[in-house]
Amino acid sequence: MATITTERPRTSPEQAAHARRQRVRRQRLAPILYIGPAFVAIALIIGYPVFNAIGTSFLNASLLAPGQDTFAGFDNFTGLFRDPAFWVVMGRTLVWAGAALIVQVGLGLVIANTLNKKLFARGAIRTTLIVPWVVPTVLVALIWRFLLDPVSGPINEVLRGTGLWENPPVWLADTRFVLGVLVLISAWKWTPFTAVILLAGMQQIPPEQHEAAMMDGANAWQRFRNVTVPGIRTSLALVTLTTISGAINNFNGIWLFTRGGPVGATEILTTMAYRTAFTEFDFGKAAAISVIIFVMMMAVAVVYFYVVEGRKGDKR
């Protein structure tokens, strides 16, 4: 009985190499096809406003003369740089961002380090901690405007009732206190986010490192400084980036409380840009301020990637 044998067609080395290249090309192309539509959508949503603002910053564009925009070159920028009021607002913005960084990261470190220990009802405490973070900014403004009300606010009532301060100030109308009060309110809302990020970093530190430090006789402060802080360096860099950029770009946290007042005591770049656009109707100048804010935030991001990601690359 005859048997029939079938042989698979032999593939030449060139054909095998070509098929392998096709397979690798498809594998590389697949992720691009998956994320491509989302990337295009995000590029349009983010890119168009950015480039539109950059273009408007080089125009004499006013709502009082619609359709009569003219090219201004760098006049909007030079006008800002020559204006002493702009530099006052710039300095206040940097003070605002620096104070937010110190308070939020400082409190975040204390809270995260505390929650990293074994505590009773630690899960419930962590859940409660994030409540201020998820509260909408408008509701935060309503809560704190009530608490700080000069007539019936609980804070002034407690100060007067305990005799700590007979005539407490109108917190949101006193130029001596208003910026500091807004920094503390901002910290109340955003410190939970900072603490969560830092806590996640602390939990990645192997317990053996703390145990070895204890065996070497290190006290709590020395363990925190020499073990914890180096172990959360990346998390610290991340919260530094988000805190500074968030403070520079903060609008609601100022406008909902004081609208930049009193007497400009809380005016920062974002409120200045809004006021320039919708009070003075000078869209070109407002766009120039927005571009300056964008450049500042990009500078912070570049420093972050240079310091953090660059260090990771050196370790590899």
Side-chain angles (χ1 to χ4, degrees), residues 171-183:
W171 298 103
L172 297 178
D174 193 318
T175 56
R176 297 172 300 171
F177 302 106
V178 61
L179 189 62
V181 169
L182 293 182
V183 168

Side-chain angles (χ1 to χ4, degrees), residues 275-306:
R275 193 183 305 280
T276 302
F278 299 106
T279 302
E280 303 174 10
F281 305 112
D282 190 343
F283 283 8
K285 184 178 177 181
I289 298 172
S290 300
V291 170
I292 292 171
I293 296 172
F294 176 74
V295 170
M296 293 172 65
M297 296 178 64
M298 287 297 295
V300 174
V302 167
V303 171
Y304 166 78
F305 283 107
Y306 176 78

Side-chain angles (χ1 to χ4, degrees), residues 44-310:
L44 291 175
I45 293 172
I46 297 177
Y48 174 75
V50 169
F51 288 108
N52 184 64
I54 294 173
T56 305
S57 67
F58 294 101
L59 301 176
N60 285 319
S62 175
L63 195 61
L64 300 176
Q68 301 179 27
D69 302 347
T70 58
F71 183 71
F74 290 94
D75 289 351
N76 289 320
F77 293 96
T78 56
L80 285 171
F81 296 152
R82 291 172 182 170
D83 186 0
F86 169 78
W87 292 109
V88 172
V89 173
M90 172 67 80
R92 189 179 297 115
T93 302
L94 296 177
V95 170
W96 162 260
L101 176 66
I102 293 171
V103 175
Q104 291 179 31
V105 175
L107 289 176
L109 278 170
V110 173
I111 294 171
N113 193 51
T114 302
L115 293 179
N116 197 38
K117 297 177 171 56
K118 293 182 179 179
L119 300 174
F120 175 75
R122 184 170 61 175
I125 296 173
R126 291 179 180 178
T127 303
T128 306
L129 172 68
I130 66 172
V131 170
W133 176 37
V134 300
V135 173
T137 307
V138 174
L139 185 56
V140 171
L142 292 175
I143 293 171
W144 280 98
R145 288 180 72 89
F146 165 71
L147 293 175
L148 296 170
D149 187 273
V151 178
S152 58
I155 292 178
N156 280 7
E157 287 288 344
V158 170
L159 291 175
R160 283 190 291 262
T162 57
L164 294 174
W165 206 328
E166 285 190 23
N167 297 306
V170 181
W171 298 103
L172 297 178
D174 193 318
T175 56
R176 297 172 300 171
F177 302 106
V178 61
L179 189 62
V181 169
L182 293 182
V183 168
L184 293 178
I185 294 173
S186 178
W188 178 83
K189 176 171 176 55
W190 293 107
T191 296
F193 171 78
T194 301
V196 168
I197 297 298
L198 294 176
L199 178 60
M202 290 180 183
Q203 292 179 336
Q204 299 302 314
I205 301 175
E208 294 79 8
Q209 294 186 12
H210 288 282
E211 295 171 0
M214 292 178 65
M215 293 178 63
D216 289 340
N219 56 33
W221 167 247
Q222 290 172 332
R223 294 197 302 273
F224 177 77
R225 185 184 63 186
N226 299 317
V227 178
T228 303
V229 172
I232 61 171
R233 189 171 296 161
T234 300
S235 299
L236 277 173
L238 175 61
V239 297
T240 298
L241 169 68
T242 56
T243 302
I244 293 177
S245 60
I248 292 174
N249 201 37
N250 196 333
F251 174 77
N252 292 334
I254 298 287
W255 192 260
L256 293 174
F257 288 96
T258 64
R259 299 194 174 190
V263 202
T266 57
E267 187 90 302
I268 61 173
L269 288 175
T270 50
T271 58
M272 184 182 187
Y274 181 88
R275 193 183 305 280
T276 302
F278 299 106
T279 302
E280 303 174 10
F281 305 112
D282 190 343
F283 283 8
K285 184 178 177 181
I289 298 172
S290 300
V291 170
I292 292 171
I293 296 172
F294 176 74
V295 170
M296 293 172 65
M297 296 178 64
M298 287 297 295
V300 174
V302 167
V303 171
Y304 166 78
F305 283 107
Y306 176 78
V307 172
V308 177
E309 302 300 331

